[in-house]
Amino acid sequence: SNAAVQLYENGAYSDDVDTYLTRDVMFVLVQDTDENRNPQNRDTIFVLVYVGNGTSEGMYGAALVIDTERLAVTETSETSGVFRSDTVVLTDTVVPVVNDGVLSWGRGDTMQASYSDVTGTSEDRSDTALAVEIATSMALQLYENGAYTDDVDTYMTRDVMFVLAQDTDENRNPQ
């Protein structure tokens, strides 16, 4: 059989993608009819997912594998040959740990979901995706005191200015 691997962004498996937000969810689908080994049960196979650094870290961090997950994908029925994963969390706020159930990555990093069929015709298939930044607006507030409780829009000539800047999408590298 010809195996196939596809990445999706929804649990209905109708939105196949090649990019994800840095904080998103992922679903993996594998089609391989010769992995339907027991027609009385739903079979389970495994997909390896690797995350590699992009170019944000400079030349020393580029292309390093920073996270790995081994995902179980389960057949949708006893004889379908179609295998689906559970929800996989993608995040840029957790330090990468191998096989912790979460894929950690940052803006510009890449992911590869790899499947190797060891029965039948020994096929290797994969799909890839790129992490894109979550666009959010920045907030800036001016204060007159160090406790950041007296917000102002006007200052006296010799006042001290305290500035608070909030920008949630500036966590560009969770490592």
Side-chain angles (χ1 to χ4, degrees), residues 40-111:
Q40 282 76 41
N41 292 317
R42 292 174 27 178
D43 295 299
T44 299
I45 57 177
F46 294 92
V47 173
L48 288 174
V49 181
Y50 305 96
V51 172
N53 260 351
T55 57
S56 300
E57 292 78 20
M59 64 182 222
Y60 298 107
L64 294 175
V65 174
I66 57 174
D67 203 356
T68 306
E69 292 294 324
R70 183 175 187 250
L71 303 179
V73 290
T74 304
E75 199 170 15
T76 58
S77 69
E78 289 80 3
T79 58
S80 69
V82 176
F83 300 80
R84 294 180 175 178
S85 71
D86 286 333
T87 304
V88 180
V89 175
L90 308 173
T91 186
D92 65 348
T93 59
V94 175
V95 174
V97 176
V98 173
N99 288 326
D100 64 348
V102 174
L103 282 164
S104 184
W105 65 348
R107 177 181 58 98
D109 291 346
T110 57
M111 173 192 338

Side-chain angles (χ1 to χ4, degrees), residues 1-6 8 29-33 45 81-83 115:
S1 73
N2 285 332
V5 176
Q6 183 66 55
Y8 289 89
L29 180 131
V30 175
Q31 295 176 333
D32 190 358
T33 55
I45 57 177
V82 176
F83 300 80
Y115 165 69

Side-chain angles (χ1 to χ4, degrees), residues 131-143:
V132 295
E133 196 165 9
I134 303 168
T136 60
S137 59
M138 190 257 192
L140 181 72
Q141 183 64 53
L142 304 175
Y143 291 92

